[in-house]
């Protein structure tokens, strides 16, 4: 299912006898016949696991070409998982800052939906950084979270075009977080996306905004291409 011109959502239905037990935010490794291994974050929460969802941006690599040009409904994919230590720590009452760039929105979406399902009352603020308006491929969903569940949602565009007619925040998404939260000493941060965004956020939040180093949880996306 195409979410944007260069973003595809994959739906994987597990065999009837199988159930994948995972934590919101974790990922799996897709294994292809020719030996490719591609890590993809699970985009849905554990309670909604009849079909596992993934968001894939077309970076032009072999797996992107498979998904965007060859893959068809009812094809079989093999995967290993769940993997990773990126998941919501529920033993804390600290307010949560979520930072996503691009398709790093996928595991952040899973975390938000898990928190809503579990009735977690901690304050959640979500920043989603993209280049242009079309890259905010689930903007309406995030607005629904804000309207119906009190999630504070701040989209940020770094390269908005005149055609976007964008009236919202602009610039680097981690800088927008720092403007709003100059003191993060009492927060937890969960960040996912491009390595440069994650590295900059981790460095600056700790050094300049008093975020405890052990309260920054991250998963950086490195394109196989």
């Amino acid at each position: 299912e195409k979410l944007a011109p260069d973003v595809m959502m994959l739906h994987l239905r597990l065999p009837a006898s199988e159930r994948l037990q995972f934590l919101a935010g974790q990922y799996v490794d897709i294994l292809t016949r020719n030996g490719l291994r591609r890590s993809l974050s699970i985009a849905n929460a554990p309670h909604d696991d009849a079909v596992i969802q993934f968001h894939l941006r077309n970076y032009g690599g072999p797996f992107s070409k498979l998904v965007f040009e060859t893959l068809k409904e009812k094809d079989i994919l093999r995967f290993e998982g769940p993997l990773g230590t990126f998941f919501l720590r529920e033993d804390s009452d600290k307010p949560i800052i979520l930072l996503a760039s691009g398709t790093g929105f996928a595991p952040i979406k899973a975390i938000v939906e898990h928190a809503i399902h579990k009735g977690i009352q901690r304050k959640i603020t979500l920043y989603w950084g993209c280049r242009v308006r079309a890259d905010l491929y689930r903007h309406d969903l995030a607005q629904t979270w804000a309207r119906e569940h009190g999630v504070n949602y701040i989209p940020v565009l770094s390269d908005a075009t005149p055609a976007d007619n964008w009236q919202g925040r602009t610039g680097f998404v981690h800088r927008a977080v720092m403007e709003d939260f100059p003191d993060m000493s009492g927060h937890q941060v969960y960040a996912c996306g491009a390595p440069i965004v994650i590295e900059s956020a981790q460095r600056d939040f700790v050094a300049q905004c008093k975020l405890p180093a052990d309260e920054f949880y991250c998963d950086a996306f490195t394109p196989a291409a």
Side-chain angles (χ1 to χ4, degrees):
E1 175 187 349
K2 267 197 173 181
L3 301 179
D6 62 345
V7 176
M8 192 79 78
M9 177 153 67
L10 295 180
H11 304 260
L12 264 60
R13 185 179 301 280
L14 301 180
S17 60
E18 300 289 337
R19 182 174 183 271
L20 182 66
Q21 295 186 325
F22 63 96
L23 301 172
Q26 287 189 300
Y27 69 94
V28 305
D29 276 354
I30 303 288
L31 313 174
T32 63
R33 290 189 183 91
N34 56 2
L36 289 176
R37 180 182 288 262
R38 178 67 187 272
S39 299
L40 291 179
S41 292
I42 302 170
N44 53 291
H47 69 275
D48 184 24
D49 65 349
V51 175
I52 308 300
Q53 300 173 8
F54 308 95
H55 300 168
L56 175 72
R57 185 175 300 281
N58 186 357
Y59 288 109
F63 187 69
S64 293
K65 289 182 179 179
L66 171 69
V67 171
F68 280 80
E69 299 175 11
T70 307
L71 202 65
K72 59 185 183 300
E73 191 172 346
K74 297 189 185 306
D75 278 357
I76 294 175
L77 288 177
R78 295 173 57 240
F79 68 84
E80 289 182 358
L83 303 168
T85 58
F86 184 68
F87 54 84
L88 181 63
R89 272 61 179 177
E90 297 184 45
D91 58 350
S92 172
D93 58 0
K94 290 184 176 181
I96 301 165
I97 298 172
L98 303 175
L99 169 61
S101 77
T103 50
F105 178 76
I108 297 297
K109 170 182 175 291
I111 287 174
V112 173
E113 291 179 340
H114 175 69
I116 291 172
H117 175 74
K118 295 274 288 194
I120 292 173
Q121 297 300 307
R122 296 158 65 185
K123 182 174 177 57
I124 298 175
T125 304
L126 164 61
Y127 291 81
W128 188 7
C130 293
R131 294 182 304 104
V132 296
R133 171 63 182 85
D135 292 336
L136 295 168
Y137 56 84
R138 297 303 305 270
H139 184 58
D140 290 348
L141 175 63
Q143 289 179 316
T144 299
W145 293 337
R147 185 172 59 252
E148 297 182 1
H149 301 286
V151 175
N152 188 19
Y153 169 51
I154 299 99
V156 183
L157 298 185
S158 61
D159 297 296
T161 67
D164 288 329
N165 192 29
W166 182 249
Q167 305 298 317
R169 302 281 285 274
T170 58
F172 295 122
V173 64
H174 88 283
R175 287 288 175 185
V177 180
M178 294 172 70
E179 291 169 8
D180 296 348
F181 293 92
D183 183 353
M184 302 182 197
S185 58
H187 291 74
Q188 281 187 341
V189 174
Y190 296 83
C192 187
I196 185 64
V197 176
I198 304 309
E199 292 164 9
S200 299
Q202 186 169 23
R203 180 191 65 233
D204 294 347
F205 290 0
V206 172
Q208 301 180 38
C209 299
K210 304 177 186 176
L211 178 72
D214 60 354
E215 292 288 29
F216 186 94
Y217 305 95
C218 65
D219 204 356
F221 283 5
T222 305

